[in-house]
Amino acid sequence: MSNLFKVWIGLLALGVLLGLYTTFQIFTIGHGELANTTQLLPWGLQVSTYIYLALTSTGCSFVYCLATLGGVDKLKPIVPRAVLLALLTIIAGFTSLSLEIGRLERLAIEFIVNPNLTSPMWWMGVFYTMYIVVLMIELAAMIFHIEWLMKVGSVAVLITAIAGHSTLGSVFGVLEGRGYGFGALTPIYFLMMAFLGGASLILLVSCLISIFKGSNKEFDEAVTTLRKVFLASVAIAFLATVWRYVVGVWVSDPYYDLFDLGFNKFLKFSLLLGMIVPVLIVVFQKKAGIGLALAPIIVLVVQFIDRNTLIVGIQKIALLQGVWEPRILPYTPAPVEISVVIFVMSIIGIIYSIAEQRGFLEKIKH
Amino acid sequence: MSRWGMAIDLAKCVGCQACSVACSMENTRVPGENWHKVIFMNEGETGTKKFTWYPRPCQHCTEAPCTKVCPVRATWKRKEDGVVLINWYKCLGCRYCVMACPYGVRCYPEVKPLLEPDIKEVYHGRRAKLWDPPYQLSREEQDGKRGTGIPPKGVVTKCTFCAHRTDRKEMTPDRDPVKDRDFTPACVIACPASARYFGDIDNPESEVSKRVERKGAYRLREELGTKPQVFYVK
């Protein structure tokens, strides 16, 4: 175990400890008392982090299904990594969400006893529960080399990932009073963006493995294919983002004004920095290394901020605002919300790093 | 079928906010937990500005988006009178209903205090109550299943059309703020301009129905199809 790895694990452990302390505070003092969410802006950084992680998880599953169902055999070396990352990111996402819910203790029982079939959130819970169970079964099937279960599991992962993530999009898509998120395109937009998140995370992990563990021919081929997958995912995300924005800017309804107000940021940050620059990096950096890793890092950071812009943006225009109230509601995450984000990211990092360092993922059959 | 409804005559409303204060006093809300707001709006361009105010209780929509999105049916529309209520014993505090309400009428009182000292700390809540002020509804009137009284921690709250008052008497075409004082919502009683009419909007003989019919009433954000049971007349 190198010193660098020890420092890395130490930092992540600190993040987990910070998160545990924050969790204790949330349960003793109350989340609402500590967070900067308000009566008018009820969902903040923790919800957007959940969306971001759910999106990344779905993307990891898509890349995994490309290898197992799509016949892209060159991606096989990253298959166990994709499944583990999909599982860790979705669990971390739900951790972030859970710590924002007022009465967490009622969640499981009420979801079963009082289901509301017209609620997208209820369906989201059902599909994501199935998704997590299926991912766990898939990982177990890989560990114990159960071929038929792996094949069936791949199909189930794909179906539950699409169902879960598009339903998550519909949670916002049905909010007809809030123009920034409303629309039939929203669930599709979520799915199209998911591919980018997953492809970026897996490309980043592959680059880091090449840097720290060295590479072989099989892995180099996987990275070459991943570059193509990444470029395709950027193209899909570019289309989804641009059309969502063009339609949003076109509408003159005041509840869509955030599209106009955020247009400059959208062009410079989301498109130029978040998509065009990473594409140029991937086109010119052909080998796995620090240079290539920069592209997914930029995408992941921009996507994280963009998800927050989307979720907070949906609530930012005050409903029926009066003249003595701000039209655009202010929101800056509180330390407790940032701590939860550090907590869940550290959980992903620490479990994945240890699994990778111990060679656990290389032993798994794929 | 009978449904409680309200007509608010904007020509009579003076924007004094007595309704908002009466609501907060009657229902013991914490500062910032505005079940009833009076929203002041500008009409016209700069130089020709005209103030209009919209008293805004819960609209008790016929097609309420909040009841459709609640994952556990904690928010529900009572069949007997069409009032939208929250069952605090079921509510998860996920705030999806707050997001779905196009009128911004729902509150989540467990947020940072609007004023210092935090009144929730001054009157610290016992037995899972959010707070415990000295003046509150009687034990019989406090009912978590319909969301009246002091809520527990971590749940959403909203205007109930003062269900603890209206439920004391059987449905009638009208609730006169003088004769039916104990059975009428606090905002209706408190209005010094008598700008509010409360009654059965499905009964054509009720005063509220007549007002709506006679004066060409309209509803907030009508384009959404939520069919509020609160009407504005001018």
Side-chain angles (χ1 to χ4, degrees), chain A residues 82 156 216 219 291:
Chain A
N216 53 39
F219 204 80

Side-chain angles (χ1 to χ4, degrees), chain A residues 32-198:
Chain A
E33 304 281 349
L34 298 164
N36 276 353
T37 47
T38 63
Q39 307 272 6
L40 302 172
L41 201 149
W43 284 355
L45 182 67
Q46 284 174 240
V47 175
S48 73
T49 302
Y50 157 66
I51 308 289
Y52 171 76
L53 291 171
L55 175 147
T56 308
S57 172
T58 308
C60 289
S61 294
F62 285 170
V63 175
Y64 159 71
C65 289
L66 261 184
T68 54
L69 301 173
V72 186
D73 290 340
K74 286 180 179 172
L75 286 177
K76 288 272 167 85
I78 56 96
V79 158
R81 295 180 170 93
V83 175
L84 183 62
L85 283 171
L87 190 59
L88 289 177
T89 44
I90 192 68
I91 290 173
F94 269 102
T95 307
S96 175
L97 184 69
S98 305
L99 292 175
E100 172 129 356
I101 289 174
R103 304 300 299 241
L104 183 61
E105 78 282 4
R106 293 179 183 167
L107 187 71
I109 189 86
E110 290 297 340
F111 255 69
I112 296 164
V113 176
N114 290 306
N116 185 0
L117 303 187
T118 62
S119 170
M121 189 181 272
W122 188 81
W123 285 106
M124 180 197 80
V126 169
F127 288 136
Y128 269 140
T129 306
M130 289 162 69
Y131 175 63
I132 291 172
V133 170
V134 165
L135 278 174
M136 284 175 168
I137 292 171
E138 187 67 0
L139 196 60
M142 283 181 181
I143 293 167
F144 297 110
H145 307 286
I146 308 168
E147 289 272 345
W148 68 269
L149 194 56
M150 282 160 65
K151 282 181 186 161
V152 175
S154 298
V155 178
V157 165
L158 183 63
I159 293 170
T160 51
I162 291 173
H165 202 60
S166 54
T167 311
L168 174 58
S170 77
V171 167
F172 300 94
V174 301
L175 302 177
E176 58 182 334
R178 298 179 185 268
Y180 202 61
F182 172 65
L185 180 66
T186 309
I188 310 298
Y189 169 75
F190 268 54
L191 277 181
M192 291 170 88
M193 297 307 290
F195 198 25
L196 177 63

Side-chain angles (χ1 to χ4, degrees), chain A residues 36 100 106 119 171 178 323, chain B residues 69 91 95-96 99 112:
Chain A
N36 276 353
E100 172 129 356
R106 293 179 183 167
S119 170
V171 167
R178 298 179 185 268
V323 288
Chain B
V69 301
C91 179
R95 288 158 276 170
Y96 192 19
M99 293 287 286
K112 281 182 178 168

Side-chain angles (χ1 to χ4, degrees), chain B residues 21 45 116 118 139 177 196 218:
Chain B
V21 176
E45 299 297 319
E116 290 292 348
D118 183 3
R139 193 169 283 181
R196 286 164 182 260
Y218 61 96

